[in-house]
Amino acid sequence: MLSRLALRSRPAPSLLKASHLRQSRSLVTLSPNVLYLSSAVAEQPGRAGVVKSNTDTPLELTFARPKTIGGKGKGTTPEQLLAMAMSTSFLDAMNIAASKQGKNGSLANARVHAAAFLGHADNGHDGFALSTNILVENVDDDEVILAARELCPFSKALSEGIEVKIMKKAKTSPEDGEEEVD
């Protein structure tokens, strides 16, 4: 397993230069053709409660605040799930990119390490902030890695932004629907 310092290591110079080609930040939105939906519900008290997915393969996890933010550290954290999602999604995106480029089999020993860092927001913002790193192991092909960055929904969402709709559900009667919060 790589150390935290390895996950904070700088990308190869060619990747670092190419990864900053986009100067403006856009918002990535979905087309009407949704390919998959996953939903979940968290119960009180949030980071120290239970979360359940309501999808084709149900999953239930008990969450716990990490010791570093005042918890007991005896459960799953959202940051663990984010790092796991990023690593699997990015590896899959690299496989798709390699296939599209006719480089099947070139990623036989590829591994993707991901880290999600939780901290305080800076630059005058309130609350917490996230930072993420992806470290690709056993892949020398910058073209495949950069193409994966464009294909991976997690790297795209975290680098370009995603649409977040917050709605509330009235608790007065079961017939009431959801309404969007502005």
Side-chain angles (χ1 to χ4, degrees):
M1 184 162 165
L2 293 178
S3 69
R4 276 189 156 169
L5 291 175
L7 287 174
R8 292 179 185 229
S9 66
R10 292 192 174 272
S14 61
L15 284 178
L16 182 62
K17 188 176 183 181
S19 68
H20 293 296
L21 292 176
R22 260 195 218 116
Q23 296 299 319
S24 64
R25 187 171 165 103
S26 61
L27 183 67
V28 177
T29 57
L30 281 177
S31 71
N33 184 20
V34 174
L35 301 175
Y36 179 74
L37 166 67
S38 178
S39 63
V41 60
E43 297 177 7
Q44 284 292 0
R47 275 187 174 269
V50 174
V51 66
K52 300 173 188 173
S53 72
N54 304 317
T55 54
D56 49 351
T57 308
L59 176 65
E60 182 175 324
L61 297 171
T62 301
F63 276 63
R65 287 184 183 89
K67 290 180 181 180
T68 57
I69 62 170
K72 294 181 181 178
K74 296 187 180 197
T76 305
T77 68
E79 293 75 26
Q80 287 174 304
L81 296 178
L82 176 59
M84 292 170 80
M86 287 175 51
S87 63
T88 58
S89 183
F90 199 85
L91 182 57
D92 193 51
M94 284 196 324
N95 284 316
I96 292 168
S99 177
K100 284 183 176 184
Q101 295 173 16
K103 299 173 182 176
N104 293 334
S106 66
L107 304 180
N109 297 313
R111 294 178 72 182
V112 175
H113 304 264
F117 303 93
L118 175 69
H120 293 285
D122 63 4
N123 299 330
H125 293 98
D126 289 333
F128 292 105
L130 286 172
S131 175
T132 58
N133 285 345
I134 293 175
L135 177 68
V136 177
E137 183 181 357
N138 300 327
V139 178
D140 292 325
D141 193 330
D142 290 358
E143 198 174 283
V144 168
I145 295 170
L146 290 172
R149 183 172 189 237
E150 297 302 314
L151 291 171
C152 175
F154 287 93
S155 65
K156 213 188 291 191
L158 293 170
S159 63
E160 295 182 33
I162 61 171
E163 185 176 18
V164 177
K165 292 181 181 178
I166 299 175
M167 298 173 275
K168 65 179 182 178
K169 187 172 184 175
K171 61 180 182 178
T172 55
S173 72
E175 298 87 42
D176 288 341
E178 296 171 348
E179 72 179 74
E180 198 168 322
V181 175
D182 291 325

